Amino acid sequence: MSLVQHIDDAEKGVFDRHDYPIPITLSNSTTSQSDISHDSHHRNEKQVVKTSIPPPSTKKLAPRKVSIWIRGQLWFNTYRKLFTFVVSLNIVGVILAATGKWQYPRHYSGACVLGNLLVAILMRNELFGRLLYLIVNTLFAKWTPLWFRLGCTSVLQHLGGIHSGCGLSGFMWLIFRMVWVFIHHKTTHTSVLVFGLITLVIILITIISAVPWVRNTHHNVFERHHRLMGWSGILSTWIFVILGDSWDTNTQSWNPNGIHIVHQQDFWFVLGMTVFAVIPWFTIREVKVDIEIPSPKVVIMRFERGMQQGLLARISRGGVLEYHAFGIISEGRHAQYHYLICGVQGDFTRSLVENPPQRIWTRQLKFAGVSNTSTLYKRGIRVCTGTGLGAALSTCLQSPNWYLIWIGSDQEKTFGPTISGLIHNNLGPERVTLWDSKQRGGRPDVMKLIKETYVSWGAEVVFITSNYQGNQEMMEGCKEAGIPAFGTLWDF
């Protein structure tokens, strides 16, 4: 099954669109079934645009033609730039070491292997990621040049490029180390060779399981193999390091001296890998959850305590093998609850409908998403389709400087009173556009909507959460129009 086929009706793309007049704000006097009514204190606020909804049109717009240059820029994004830089740098190092131009790796190849793997693990550590976001959001919000803030957001969003690049580079250095060990196998104990090969195979399986095609089309395979092989890799690396540091090549005998092992670089690298891999698991808790099923397409999960905007939660039925990430909706840290919107697509979300849990496993240390950098900008637009609202709504709930555009089908009926109430109670009509494609007879010309809102709202940036097709169309359109935009990551 292709990636696009995983998207249910609650989150269809935006290709099937009709060229209707675009309302930049919702008018109190022209509400439809898709428009959420607002508190009485909002009713006296000035409305900018008042539009009526035309009857459905059978004429569809042709797909936008985008130049190869635009698509090339989007393809070679910051993720691939970071990945290319890291891998290229390490390839140069391997070549220099193999040709004898650089002697350090010949004596300390373990440090080259484990240094890369340590950075790879660090890039996916929730605590380290939250620290980076906190530093950037605290030091550079609003006053620094826009190009610098956009660069900060781009690097933070694409830290996975460093993760993947260092993971692959560590594998390359391990191949170099094993070749070097086999060349000098007469002075190396057989057990060191065996565990070196075991570690090599485990890391290879870990890398293959994270290939974009595997991760997107067989996500459960990725979850199980990447996690289990990762832990197995750390265990085999410990054995490989201890055996290698305990074997004296000069005397051809074992010297299991703890003091000697502790003084080796690779010991501290593998210790760091272990610590950063373990930290998130200390925050796992089984917590109370309330399940609301407003429609067969969507599950709303409610948890206690409020959250800052821009965070994502990982949840699991079993607590060990599979964790699934969802955007967190919350009115702020002071709020009583936070919510997750789960589109009913795979086995996990279907199980929430068929057998609603009263308690569920989650990591209390949440990880930050691109929306967390919304505080860097003076004004912005949050565009989402369908269940993408889960990753978008908190930013608009917690900041009056962000405008929400939500495109969906039969929104109130599909997503229920809880989500409608959050929008109703917190967002004035002057900074939200709700487009119900079922009520309005089709989807909008989304780029026209974004462009007009971008100008009228005085936005600096656009954040997009949509399905694969919708995200691609909007990112291409924004790039073409010169609008800074960050979209959903699908293959990283």
Side-chain angles (χ1 to χ4, degrees), residues 171-211:
F171 179 70
M172 289 191 303
W173 279 111
L174 185 54
I175 293 176
F176 172 85
R177 177 174 172 81
M178 291 310 300
V179 170
W180 188 256
V181 168
F182 271 97
I183 290 174
H184 301 87
H185 68 278
K186 292 182 180 180
T187 60
T188 304
H189 196 274
T190 304
S191 61
V192 178
L193 298 175
V194 170
F195 273 96
L197 289 174
I198 290 174
T199 305
L200 189 69
V201 171
I202 290 174
I203 293 177
L204 177 61
I205 296 174
T206 304
I207 292 173
I208 292 175
S209 69
V211 169

Side-chain angles (χ1 to χ4, degrees), residues 36-39 42 292 300-302 328-332 334-341 389-390 393-394 396-398 404 406 412 415-428 431-432 434:
I36 296 178
S37 60
H38 301 274
D39 293 335
H42 287 142
E292 176 187 340
I300 309 297
M301 306 183 74
R302 188 183 73 179
I328 295 174
I329 297 176
S330 177
E331 295 169 282
H334 64 280
Q336 186 176 1
Y337 302 110
H338 67 274
Y339 307 85
L340 307 182
I341 297 178
L389 182 71
L393 185 54
S394 276
C396 300
L397 293 179
Q398 297 184 31
L404 175 66
W406 183 27
E412 287 197 60
F415 292 85
T418 297
I419 301 303
S420 297
L422 288 170
I423 298 175
H424 168 89
N425 295 326
N426 293 278
L427 300 183
R431 64 184 188 96
V432 59
L434 307 179

Side-chain angles (χ1 to χ4, degrees), residues 32-219:
S32 69
Q33 291 180 7
S34 66
D35 301 331
I36 296 178
S37 60
H38 301 274
D39 293 335
S40 59
H41 70 275
H42 287 142
R43 296 185 182 275
N44 294 326
E45 294 182 11
K46 182 179 178 181
Q47 303 303 311
V48 180
V49 178
K50 182 177 178 179
T51 62
S52 60
I53 302 173
S57 171
T58 58
K59 182 180 179 181
K60 295 182 181 180
L61 297 177
R64 180 182 285 104
K65 292 184 178 180
V66 181
S67 69
I68 295 177
W69 173 245
I70 293 293
R71 288 184 174 174
Q73 290 182 80
L74 291 174
W75 182 85
F76 194 59
N77 55 16
T78 304
Y79 178 99
R80 290 188 169 93
K81 291 173 183 175
L82 292 172
F83 178 86
T84 302
F85 174 77
V86 170
V87 173
S88 299
L89 193 64
N90 279 276
I91 288 176
V92 171
V94 171
I95 293 173
L96 291 175
T99 56
K101 304 295 184 181
W102 187 24
Q103 292 297 317
Y104 176 83
R106 293 191 170 210
H107 302 289
Y108 303 102
S109 55
C112 297
V113 175
L114 299 174
N116 273 287
L117 297 181
L118 172 61
V119 174
I121 292 174
L122 192 62
M123 291 300 106
R124 287 304 192 209
N125 179 266
E126 288 92 337
L127 183 61
F128 180 75
R130 290 286 294 274
L131 180 61
L132 288 181
Y133 275 85
L134 177 63
I135 292 172
V136 170
N137 289 335
T138 302
L139 297 181
F140 306 124
K142 299 179 174 63
W143 68 272
T144 51
L146 179 59
W147 63 266
F148 179 81
R149 286 176 279 147
L150 293 171
C152 288
T153 297
S154 188
V155 170
L156 288 173
Q157 184 187 28
H158 295 99
L159 288 174
I162 302 176
H163 168 78
S164 301
C166 286
L168 182 59
S169 298
F171 179 70
M172 289 191 303
W173 279 111
L174 185 54
I175 293 176
F176 172 85
R177 177 174 172 81
M178 291 310 300
V179 170
W180 188 256
V181 168
F182 271 97
I183 290 174
H184 301 87
H185 68 278
K186 292 182 180 180
T187 60
T188 304
H189 196 274
T190 304
S191 61
V192 178
L193 298 175
V194 170
F195 273 96
L197 289 174
I198 290 174
T199 305
L200 189 69
V201 171
I202 290 174
I203 293 177
L204 177 61
I205 296 174
T206 304
I207 292 173
I208 292 175
S209 69
V211 169
W213 179 82
V214 176
R215 181 168 183 167
N216 291 326
T217 58
H218 303 282
H219 187 76

Side-chain angles (χ1 to χ4, degrees), residues 252-264:
Q252 293 289 291
S253 62
W254 293 105
N255 182 25
N257 188 325
I259 302 298
H260 171 74
I261 294 174
V262 168
H263 280 87
Q264 304 306 306

Side-chain angles (χ1 to χ4, degrees), residues 213-239:
W213 179 82
V214 176
R215 181 168 183 167
N216 291 326
T217 58
H218 303 282
H219 187 76
N220 289 344
V221 173
F222 159 75
E223 282 282 344
R224 292 168 182 168
H225 288 76
H226 200 67
R227 176 168 293 114
L228 292 179
M229 288 297 102
W231 280 107
S232 300
I234 290 178
L235 178 61
S236 65
T237 300
W238 267 115
I239 298 173

